[in-house]
Amino acid sequence: MYTPKFIQICLGSLFFSASFNMLIPELPSYLSSLGGAKYIGLIIALFTFTAGISRPFSGRLTDTIGRRPVMLFGAMVCLICGFFYPIMNTVFGFLLLRLFHGFSTGFTPTAASTFVSDVVPQERLGEAMGIHGIAFGTGMALGPALGSLIKLHFSYSILFYSSSAMALIALVLIVNLKETLDAVAPFTWKALRISRKEIIAKEAFPAAIINFLAYISFGVILTLIPDWTEAVGFENKGTFFIVFTIFSLLVRIVAGRFSDRYGRTKVILIGLLLLVIALFYLGQFQSESGFLVGAGLYGLAMGVVTPAIHAWTIDLSAPGKKGNAMATMYIALEVGIGLGALISGWYYQGAVPRIPNTFYCCAGFALLGAVYIITRQKKPSN
């Protein structure tokens, strides 16, 4: 399983993830400095909106023109955006750029996950998705921590240019990959014409539902955790993401292997129940120690759920339509993150005591996902 292709795509995903995640802890303060504090919920919502609407196109292109060009396009968007943030120094310009930046995650992760499924043995797919998730998650942890460190010692402009540097490294890694799609078609504008049937892969809908319910909480986390981190006494706004990702990484390989051996839905159910506990804990224990324990529990929960959902999506996909299935799963993810960010930002309005209520609400959605798994009729692919 540990071929040069697999290692290279994991490294590419790490730097790609670090590129856009390193901005997240500092963007609320940056938007406030521009006079847009009331638009804090749009930082993530606009990003996920364009990521979501681009998924059907990235899924189709992944299955037609190939995995590699789709990954390259998303990384190129990150590279370009890092240079434009210092220039777009108005609230409108910033929000417009966030809208465009979302195309990055609308393209690269869809093709990268599909690429992984092409280059590993099918019987170790869950394990492979877990390891690929470790790489992506490492970028998610190191990015915010490094971003906050850069901002503390340098400036917003240096932070944005550093984001572009990470994207450039990802580009170099991806451009040297060999295409894995057998029948590659040349790109034409007609390839962007998709029918209603091609927008959503119905066969992947069960995995998409769970992804939506699980990732509502992540939209809330991305939007409110920077302020919550300061409120409980930490200076580095990336603290939560460091702890969250460390625990997420520790469990991903084991969870992936368990999903290969015992079934995807059993592992997903355990992860969802852990997610309920983690979100209640985050809201209930409002101290530095409680914050760290909550971050660790949340990391464990998402580390269990995510690789199993990704592998389950591939299991459910139709022949030759893995990209479409992954796109459907990611659409649900983006909608969940976007709604979580938008609604929590609207409810929050700078009132820190309101934040625990958003965690409790997210726990309810995770519990709903657990009920769905329990009551859903089991299928052979589960």
Side-chain angles (χ1 to χ4, degrees):
M1 187 176 77
Y2 296 97
T3 61
K5 280 185 178 181
F6 180 66
I7 294 170
Q8 202 166 325
I9 188 61
C10 286
L11 288 173
S13 292
L14 188 156
F15 284 100
F16 172 77
S17 174
S19 173
F20 67 89
N21 276 298
M22 68 189 304
L23 303 179
I24 289 173
E26 300 300 330
L27 288 182
S29 297
Y30 181 71
L31 181 58
S32 297
S33 71
L34 298 177
K38 63 181 179 180
Y39 300 111
I40 186 174
L42 293 178
I43 291 174
I44 302 301
L46 290 175
F47 187 91
T48 56
F49 173 74
T50 43
I53 63 172
S54 63
R55 295 287 185 188
F57 301 98
S58 66
R60 178 181 173 84
L61 292 174
T62 296
D63 291 330
T64 53
I65 70 170
R67 325 313 192 189
R68 184 170 161 272
V70 175
M71 289 189 283
L72 287 172
F73 177 79
M76 183 62 73
V77 170
C78 278
L79 175 66
I80 293 170
C81 286
F83 285 101
F84 272 87
Y85 275 108
I87 300 172
M88 307 290 261
N89 53 7
T90 65
V91 172
F92 176 78
F94 172 86
L95 295 177
L96 185 65
L97 192 56
R98 287 301 290 170
L99 198 64
F100 177 71
H101 203 166
F103 284 112
S104 61
T105 57
F107 278 78
T108 297
T110 301
S113 297
T114 308
F115 185 94
V116 168
S117 73
D118 292 339
V119 299
V120 300
Q122 188 64 29
E123 66 272 13
R124 298 181 70 182
L125 181 60
E127 181 184 356
M129 288 297 183
I131 295 169
H132 180 248
I134 286 175
F136 198 92
T138 300
M140 188 181 293
L142 295 179
L146 180 60
S148 287
L149 193 64
I150 290 171
K151 173 54 183 66
L152 282 172
H153 295 284
F154 298 99
S155 65
Y156 283 116
S157 293
I158 298 298
L159 170 61
F160 296 138
Y161 296 145
S162 299
S163 173
S164 288
M166 292 290 183
L168 180 60
I169 297 172
L171 269 169
V172 172
L173 288 164
I174 294 168
V175 79
N176 288 304
L177 288 170
K178 185 178 178 181
E179 181 57 56
T180 57
L181 182 64
D182 294 328
V184 176
F187 174 78
T188 63
W189 290 110
K190 289 183 179 179
L192 297 178
R193 296 178 184 175
I194 57 175
S195 64
R196 283 181 292 179
K197 293 181 180 179
E198 294 175 302
I199 295 176
I200 298 294
K202 292 183 179 179
E203 62 273 11
F205 208 62
I209 290 173
I210 297 301
N211 221 30
F212 167 75
L213 293 171
Y215 272 87
I216 289 174
S217 66
F218 199 60
V220 174
I221 292 293
L222 291 174
T223 303
L224 303 185
I225 278 296
D227 284 3
W228 188 241
T229 303
E230 284 189 325
V232 297
F234 291 100
E235 184 180 27
N236 191 316
K237 296 179 183 177
T239 302
F240 179 93
F241 296 99
I242 296 171
V243 177
F244 152 71
T245 310
I246 288 172
F247 279 84
S248 178
L249 301 185
L250 289 173
V251 77
R252 280 178 182 264
I253 296 179
V254 176
R257 287 177 179 171
F258 274 32
S259 77
D260 288 334
R261 184 176 301 177
Y262 301 110
R264 316 299 188 200
T265 54
K266 290 179 181 177
V267 173
I268 291 170
L269 178 59
I270 293 171
L272 289 171
L273 294 175
L274 275 173
L275 188 57
V276 173
I277 295 170
L279 290 164
F280 267 108
Y281 198 97
L282 270 172
Q284 194 68 33
F285 296 94
Q286 302 172 26
S287 62
E288 290 186 10
S289 58
F291 177 86
L292 294 175
V293 172
L297 287 172
Y298 187 77
L300 286 175
M302 298 303 283
V304 170
V305 165
T306 302
I309 291 177
H310 285 205
W312 192 26
T313 303
I314 295 295
D315 293 343
L316 296 171
S317 65
K321 297 289 184 180
K322 289 194 288 186
N324 186 216
M326 291 304 296
T328 299
M329 184 272 294
Y330 275 117
I331 288 172
L333 178 146
E334 304 294 357
V335 173
I337 293 175
L339 284 177
L342 190 63
I343 295 173
S344 64
W346 168 80
Y347 173 72
Y348 172 49
Q349 295 294 308
V352 172
R354 292 183 177 182
I355 293 179
N357 293 334
T358 64
F359 297 150
Y360 301 145
C361 183
C362 291
F365 284 111
L367 185 60
L368 186 61
V371 172
Y372 175 81
I373 288 289
I374 292 170
T375 58
R376 182 178 181 272
Q377 182 180 1
K378 296 289 189 294
K379 295 183 179 181
S381 59
N382 292 349

